[in-house]
Amino acid sequence: MHFKIKYKDKNARLGELITAHSSFQTPAFMPVGTAAAVKSLDANDLSKLLDAKIILANTYHLFLRPGAEVIKRLGGLHSFTGFKGSFLTDSGGFQAFSLSKNSKPSEEGIAFKSHIDGSLHLFTPKSVLDTQYALNSDLMMILDDLIALPAKKDRIDLSVKRTIKWAKQSIKYHKERQKEGIGLTQNIFAIIQGGTDYEARRLCANELAGLGFDGLAIGGLSVGEENQAMYDTVEALMPFMPENRPRYLMGVGSPEDLVENVERGVDLFDCVMPTRNARNGTLFTKEGRLNIKRAEFIGKDDPIELNCECYTCKHYSKGYLNHLFRAKELSFFRLASLHNLHYYLSIMKSMQVAIKEGKFSEFKRDFYHKRSS
Ligand SMILES: [Zn+2]
């Protein structure tokens, strides 16, 4: 992996990230392909219609179904899905924690019951990397000990201690595997935990920054805390994250969250919001959110957003999309997802241009102004 910061506007960064499968500019947003599919879209939609260079797939889901070995036999994620850009895979820890009723973290790893058939499994720092070697993702996340917020101080401290311990085991294991010729083109990111406790977060960031990971992520945010608490935590952490490595804020967020965190120096994002909202009929526009199912859109012949360059806006009216939603037509999911992802990817491109031109604060003012007018 090659990563270089090309321009800075205060703390906002325009970078270039090159993996074995794609090269792209940051700040970047990664559409979420939970089960090796961005819901309702295929590889052609992602590459040709959206020009997405990197997407995310969830290790937990793929581990349980169809199984990492099945994907490996079919050539890894790129060959399996037909998407030739980059993949980031998470460790699976978050879903083991959030989807399983009986998830139990211990010093060894996270034991959990499958949400599909109730079978018992254990994710360890080594096992989640083995799964990701089989998937052949470009960016791999290590196992971390995440906690729900708010959390008590002693649980936060334990989470940080365990996360650092697992990070040391993970990087050691990754180096050993690479010596054996496994995962040579794969990169490894560690995850900073610590809730909204700045001291715990800084301690975690400091320790992880010295371990030689290819990038650092901020995990355990956007799990119920106030937006401002998230922004403040990110801001407090930035001086402790290596300048020359990508910074990834996991699972965040709304368009406003993207703008606020790019301003603070974040490079990578992922979130289900654009696709999940699309399926519920909520569409993002420069003026804010629009609910396409409302009666006011029946028979309207203008697109979701004038001047939107997306496939959906170029071909279809609000009236047609309103009809598809109300008639429960499956094509609605695809067309709405294309628009929302195009909107997200366009914001990232606009921010890249603004950073390059040294006009990020003007961009931000304009972004909020259009929403309030
Ligand atoms: Zn559009």
Side-chain angles (χ1 to χ4, degrees), residues 63-316:
F63 168 83
L64 292 177
R65 187 171 55 197
E69 287 307 313
V70 172
I71 294 176
K72 187 179 179 183
R73 272 208 302 282
L74 293 173
L77 278 173
H78 304 87
S79 176
F80 183 57
T81 62
F83 180 71
K84 305 298 184 199
S86 299
F87 275 92
L88 182 145
T89 45
D90 59 6
S91 70
F94 180 77
Q95 277 84 17
F97 162 85
S98 61
L99 289 179
S100 171
K101 283 189 192 102
N102 297 304
S103 121
K104 284 195 189 76
S106 68
E107 288 306 312
E108 204 185 343
I110 303 172
F112 64 96
K113 250 187 188 177
S114 158
H115 76 291
I116 300 170
D117 62 8
S119 54
L120 294 170
H121 304 276
L122 174 69
F123 278 166
T124 69
K126 287 182 183 179
S127 82
V128 299
L129 286 178
D130 283 336
T131 303
Q132 294 176 85
Y133 294 133
L135 298 174
N136 196 31
S137 53
D138 299 280
L139 309 180
M140 305 186 289
M141 307 303 298
I142 64 163
L143 193 68
D144 57 338
D145 181 28
L146 58 110
I147 48 177
L149 293 180
K152 294 207 170 111
K153 173 79 178 144
D154 57 348
R155 184 63 186 93
I156 291 175
D157 289 345
L158 174 64
S159 152
V160 166
K161 204 174 137 208
R162 220 177 243 165
T163 294
I164 294 168
K165 184 176 102 174
W166 290 352
K168 288 177 179 167
Q169 291 171 0
S170 303
I171 192 90
K172 182 167 174 275
Y173 186 61
H174 184 54
K175 283 180 181 157
E176 288 166 8
R177 299 305 279 169
Q178 286 199 321
K179 270 190 204 141
E180 294 162 9
I182 291 163
L184 289 176
T185 62
Q186 295 181 269
N187 304 282
I188 183 170
F189 280 45
I191 305 169
I192 302 164
Q193 288 294 342
T196 49
D197 179 330
Y198 293 173
E199 279 314 302
R201 285 267 177 195
R202 283 171 175 162
L203 172 83
C204 195
N206 251 340
E207 286 276 340
L208 298 179
L211 295 177
F213 285 94
D214 298 299
L216 280 191
I218 304 173
L221 286 179
S222 200
V223 288
E225 79 283 6
E226 295 288 325
N227 280 357
Q228 193 59 45
M230 181 226 292
Y231 304 153
D232 291 346
T233 307
V234 168
E235 194 166 316
L237 264 181
M238 281 302 151
F240 296 84
M241 298 182 79
E243 180 75 16
N244 59 349
R245 301 281 161 86
R247 303 158 170 176
Y248 165 33
L249 181 56
M250 303 179 81
V252 174
S254 67
E256 291 83 356
D257 290 339
L258 301 183
V259 173
E260 293 293 335
N261 288 300
V262 166
E263 185 180 35
R264 286 162 173 79
V266 174
D267 307 305
L268 292 170
F269 299 88
D270 78 282
C271 191
V272 294
M273 195 177 274
T275 39
R276 183 175 288 167
N277 279 11
R279 298 194 300 278
N280 295 331
T282 302
L283 304 175
F284 291 97
T285 76
K286 289 192 180 77
E287 282 80 38
R289 296 170 195 206
L290 168 159
N291 191 336
I292 196 67
K293 62 191 151 192
R294 289 165 64 119
E296 65 184 282
F297 299 121
I298 294 172
K300 281 281 174 340
D301 69 353
D302 55 329
I304 301 163
E305 184 156 35
L306 284 174
N307 305 320
C308 177
E309 291 288 310
C310 89
Y311 177 82
T312 305
C313 289
K314 278 202 228 159
H315 294 87
Y316 303 103

